[in-house]
Amino acid sequence: PTAPVNVVVTGAAGQIGYALLFRIASGQLLGPDTPVRLRLLEIPQGVKAAEGVALELQDSAFPLLAGVDITDDATKAFDGANVGLLVGARPRTKGMERGDLLEANGGIFAPQGRAINAGAADDIRILVVGNPANTNALIASSAAPDVPAERFTAMTRLDHNRAVGQLAAKLEVPVTEIHKLTIWGNHSATQYPDLYNAEVNGKSAAEQVDEAWLRDEFIPRVAKRGAEIIEVRGGSSVASAANAAIDHVYDWVNGTPEGDWVSAAIPSDGSYGVPEGIISSFPVTSENGAWKIVQGLDINDFSRERIDASAKELVEERDAVKALGLL
Ligand code: NAX
């Protein structure tokens, strides 16, 4: 039998944590042959609720679940960790400026990065879900100089899946007919969902919708879907966010299907004019357990402008956290 994989979930007592843990324990994160040991990291006030979740995990008798540890100590949580889902973050509250938000999150993601650097396993893979996800991932990565930068990623898979869902509904096709869709840039309102390179039934997606819908309805709808969910459901996206985190890590570990790609925020190598070093969303494939940016796509003027605008926002966030001494 294979040794259990150590999976750390931060913010484990929160909403996304609750939607995520049972799916991880059931084998959906790493596959049906891989046992997992869960490490739940919470702040002290969250530990008791995390213990409650652990009771329910026990009550589920998951065959693949080798154990559950709960701690409020990041160093303990990440010791020997193979996968880290960094969900817990400091949300923006009323009257908080962007600088305050970045600083508060720096206080979470820098220490977690140091803990990862100190004790994580050599194959550690990090997915940051907690917002502002891209820049939180950059802070954690920068605090972990001994871990290859490409092991730190941020989640834009929810945006990707939302875009697939919107396009499928518009064209009345199954989601399985949609391929090569890309979210570029930041997980924020500046993100750019690109239909010009996407395909539906093997033909250009952009050519199957009218331009006004693509530019004035589709793009803002995807970028503001989080707000729509809050408005309609009365709470932020939870199960869909957990689902996207599962998709991201599953594909990272197991590879993406031949002839298609997905979206993930990974460190830029300068591809497509995105400044090197920022953690920005790209069209990516996963091969042999590593993300690779899809090369050679045609970028029209409209796309160019959108990609540049989102990259600019990420550069501004990076400069702001640099000025705060967090990089
Ligand atoms: P909750 O407030 O329900 O849960 C957050 C949990 O994190 C709490 O239990 C809290 O005690 C814990 N926490 C806070 N600081 C911590 C720390 N330093 N170490 C460990 N745990 C800590 O929020 P939830 O709805 O679960 O959302 C979590 C994060 O996901 C938020 O930052 C949210 O903005 C972000 N999202 C990101 C998405 C994405 O696509 N990248 C989409 C969904 C979601 O909005």
Side-chain angles (χ1 to χ4, degrees):
T2 35
V5 172
N6 294 321
V7 179
V8 177
V9 177
T10 78
Q15 299 191 86
I16 295 175
Y18 194 67
L20 198 49
L21 290 165
F22 295 83
R23 295 192 56 185
I24 299 172
S26 74
Q28 294 179 66
L29 186 77
L30 298 167
D33 302 320
T34 309
V36 291
R37 185 182 302 277
L38 285 167
R39 306 272 190 79
L40 315 187
L41 179 65
E42 260 294 347
I43 50 176
Q45 308 90 285
V47 164
K48 184 152 184 272
E51 283 166 357
V53 180
L55 297 181
E56 281 200 76
L57 284 163
Q58 182 181 31
D59 293 348
S60 304
F62 287 115
L64 289 172
L65 186 57
V68 182
D69 304 310
I70 300 159
T71 179
D72 60 6
D73 178 343
T75 306
K76 278 188 196 147
F78 287 107
D79 186 42
N82 306 104
V83 175
L85 299 164
L86 277 46
V87 179
R90 173 73 164 82
R92 191 190 288 257
T93 40
K94 220 173 156 194
M96 213 174 178
E97 300 292 334
R98 187 177 67 170
D100 303 330
L101 181 75
L102 293 170
E103 190 164 23
N105 279 291
I108 295 173
F109 288 86
Q112 288 180 3
R114 286 194 288 274
I116 291 163
N117 199 57
D122 286 345
D123 67 347
I124 182 71
R125 288 183 175 86
I126 299 292
L127 170 63
V128 177
V129 175
N131 284 317
N134 301 53
T135 297
N136 288 341
L138 187 64
I139 292 169
S141 173
S142 143
D146 303 329
V147 178
E150 66 264 20
R151 304 295 183 74
F152 286 86
T153 66
M155 191 165 93
T156 52
R157 186 61 174 268
L158 177 56
D159 308 294
H160 178 99
N161 288 346
R162 285 167 171 168
V164 169
Q166 288 300 317
L167 185 61
K170 171 73 176 172
L171 294 175
E172 298 179 356
V173 297
V175 290
T176 47
E177 293 299 336
I178 295 175
H179 300 289
K180 301 184 177 176
L181 196 142
T182 307
I183 303 292
W184 297 89
N186 200 0
H187 169 68
S188 77
T190 68
Q191 65 173 264
Y192 172 51
D194 177 5
L195 291 190
Y196 292 100
N197 286 295
E199 290 177 4
V200 180
N201 288 317
K203 291 185 297 243
S204 162
E207 283 169 19
Q208 296 178 61
V209 296
D210 62 80
E211 200 139 43
W213 180 82
L214 188 161
R215 295 185 181 194
D216 305 331
E217 286 185 49
F218 171 75
I219 293 174
R221 185 114 196 240
V222 171
K224 295 179 194 157
R225 184 68 160 184
E228 184 182 349
I229 299 295
I230 291 172
E231 167 74 27
V232 179
R233 198 181 83 87
S236 60
S237 306
V238 176
S240 56
N243 179 66
I246 298 271
D247 284 351
H248 177 114
V249 173
Y250 185 90
D251 286 351
W252 193 357
V253 172
N254 294 292
T256 43
E258 188 68 35
D260 201 0
W261 65 71
V262 296
S263 306
I266 68 170
S268 176
D269 60 358
S271 291
Y272 297 102
V274 176
E276 201 175 331
I278 59 171
I279 296 186
S280 187
S281 189
F282 286 99
V284 290
T285 56
S286 168
E287 285 160 46
N288 304 318
W291 292 117
K292 248 172 69 179
I293 298 172
V294 176
Q295 297 296 331
L297 299 183
D298 189 40
I299 306 297
N300 64 21
D301 290 347
F302 179 80
S303 297
R304 183 74 269 156
E305 218 171 277
R306 298 291 179 127
I307 294 168
D308 289 349
S310 200
K312 180 167 172 276
E313 182 182 55
L314 284 169
V315 168
E316 286 166 6
E317 287 183 17
R318 179 196 62 193
D319 292 348
V321 294
K322 209 183 234 173
L324 290 166
L326 293 167
L327 295 189

